[in-house]
Amino acid sequence: MVEVLVPSKVNLALLVGETDAQGYHRLGTVFQAVSLHDEVTVRATEPGVFRLAFRGEGSAFLPTDDTNLVTRAARLLAATYDVDAGVEVLVRKHIPVAGGMAGGSADAAATLVACNELWGLGLTVAELHPLAARLGSDVPFLLNGGTAIGAHRGDRLEPIPTAGSYHWVLALSHSGLSTPAVFREFDRLSPPRPTEVAPELLAALASGDVARVGALLTNDLAEAALSLQPDLAEVIRIGDQAGALGTVVSGSGPTIAFLCDGEELALRVADALRVSSRVRAVRRAVGPVPGARVI
Ligand code: C5P
C-alpha cells in the first residue's frame, strides 16, 4: 500500500489569451499550491483491474468508472511502462469538487506518484510530467507544487521564488462550475487578453510583500464565473469588508480565495464569511506547499 498527500492550488494571476486549434486557450498563470489536501491510497490487486472509491467532500458526485481522471492516470502509467498490474485507489477528499482548485487534477497527479512507487518504476517528477500534461492542463503543477508560472495551456511550468507565507481563506460555493462552461462564457463576454504575467507580481512574491501581492491578484475568468454565479459578488464584498488584503476567483471558480498576512486576519475574514448563506463552507490554507508526495 502507498499513500500520497496532494495539495490544491489557487491562481494568483490567470490571464486568458487566444484559443488554439483544439479549442484550448493560451494561458499566463501563476499557480500556488496550498495546504488543502486530498489523500490518495493505492493497493495492488489482480492485473488489469482498476477500482476507485471516494470518501469525504463531494464524493457522492464523482464518477468512479474509467472516465475518472484517477483511473485514466493509473491506466496511462501502466500502458506507457508496460506494467501488468491492477490497482485499487481510495481518495479521501477535502478539496472542493468543481471548485476551481484543481481537485480532480490533484487526484490524478497523486495517482501517478502513488502507482510509480507501488510498481517500483523509479520515475522522477520530470519523467512523470509528459503523462501529467496528457491528463489535464493543471496536473503537471500538482506534481511540482510551490509557486510557479504556467504558460501554454498552463502545463509549461517555471518555478518562481517567493518569500513569506500566504494565508488563504477559501469560500466554498453551494454548487460547482464546469471549467469548459466558464471558458465558453469568457469567449462570449470578452476578447482574448495579453498573457504576460506582471513583473510587479513576481517582484512582490520574491520579496514576500503579501499586501502588494493581494493588490495584484487577477483572474480574467472572474467576470465569466460571476456571470454564471452572480451571488459570488456578495461573497467577495463580505471578505473585502472584513479586511482581506486581496481577493480572487480561484481558477474557473466558484471558490473565492481571500489573501491574508497571518492567522489573526484570516480568522476574522473566515468568521465574516461563515455567517453568509451564500457560502457553503469556509476553509483555511497556507501556501506555498510541496506537490504530491508519498507519506
Ligand atoms: O486541461 P483540462 O482537461 O483540465 O481542461 C478542461 C477544460 O478547460 C478544457 O476542455 C477546455 O474547455 C478548458 N481549457 C481551456 N484552455 C486551457 C485549459 C483548459 O480552454 N488552457
Side-chain angles (χ1 to χ4, degrees):
M1 181 191 103
V2 176
E3 191 166 357
V4 169
L5 197 65
V6 64
S8 49
K9 60 86 185 164
V10 293
N11 301 79
L12 283 56
L14 180 48
L15 310 167
V16 182
E18 307 276 350
T19 39
D20 64 19
Q22 289 79 40
Y24 275 80
H25 296 73
R26 172 179 292 277
L27 301 181
T29 189
V30 177
F31 292 110
Q32 183 166 90
V34 301
S35 62
L36 180 60
H37 291 95
D38 280 355
E39 295 133 36
V40 175
T41 306
V42 295
R43 284 187 180 79
T45 183
E46 314 91 82
V49 173
F50 293 81
R51 234 177 262 126
L52 170 61
F54 289 99
R55 302 273 180 277
E57 170 77 32
S59 51
F61 304 106
L62 292 167
T64 53
D65 60 11
D66 281 2
T67 64
N68 194 289
L69 214 50
V70 165
T71 309
R72 284 166 50 203
R75 284 190 184 275
L76 179 63
L77 188 65
T80 307
Y81 290 94
D82 260 330
V83 181
D84 185 25
V87 70
E88 267 178 16
V89 186
L90 173 64
V91 183
R92 291 189 190 84
K93 291 218 61 77
H94 304 278
I95 306 172
V97 173
M101 297 192 70
S105 301
D107 298 340
T111 302
L112 290 177
V113 170
C115 291
N116 179 39
E117 180 79 12
L118 186 71
W119 297 335
L121 296 173
L123 301 166
T124 63
V125 166
E127 287 168 325
L128 291 174
H129 257 245
L131 300 188
R134 280 176 61 186
L135 293 165
S137 312
D138 290 340
V139 183
F141 174 70
L142 277 313
L143 291 174
N144 284 43
T147 307
I149 292 180
H152 185 62
R153 293 179 174 181
D155 54 332
R156 297 215 182 126
L157 298 171
E158 182 195 331
I160 53 175
T162 64
S165 61
Y166 297 78
H167 291 250
W168 296 95
V169 178
L170 305 158
L172 276 47
S173 189
H174 288 284
S175 52
L177 278 174
S178 135
T179 301
V182 175
F183 274 101
R184 275 198 303 276
E185 185 71 354
F186 171 85
D187 290 337
R188 195 177 72 79
L189 293 173
S190 35
R193 312 252 177 93
T195 57
E196 201 206 330
V197 173
E200 294 83 2
L201 175 60
L202 303 180
L205 283 164
S207 65
D209 185 344
V210 180
R212 182 89 183 116
V213 171
L216 292 167
L217 296 172
T218 185
N219 184 348
D220 285 348
L221 293 178
E223 190 190 359
L226 265 77
S227 165
L228 297 173
Q229 283 199 14
D231 279 0
L232 294 177
E234 170 69 7
V235 177
I236 291 170
R237 199 186 56 74
I238 295 169
D240 285 348
Q241 271 189 353
L245 300 176
T247 304
V248 73
V249 173
S250 181
S252 55
T255 303
I256 308 290
F258 298 91
L259 181 57
C260 301
D261 58 1
E263 195 154 285
E264 197 184 319
L265 178 58
L267 286 169
R268 202 160 73 228
V269 172
D271 283 346
L273 288 162
R274 210 168 272 127
V275 294
S276 169
S277 62
R278 293 189 169 86
V279 175
R280 177 171 63 83
V282 178
R283 303 277 182 266
R284 289 197 298 122
V286 292
V289 295
R293 62 191 191 283
V294 175
I295 52 173

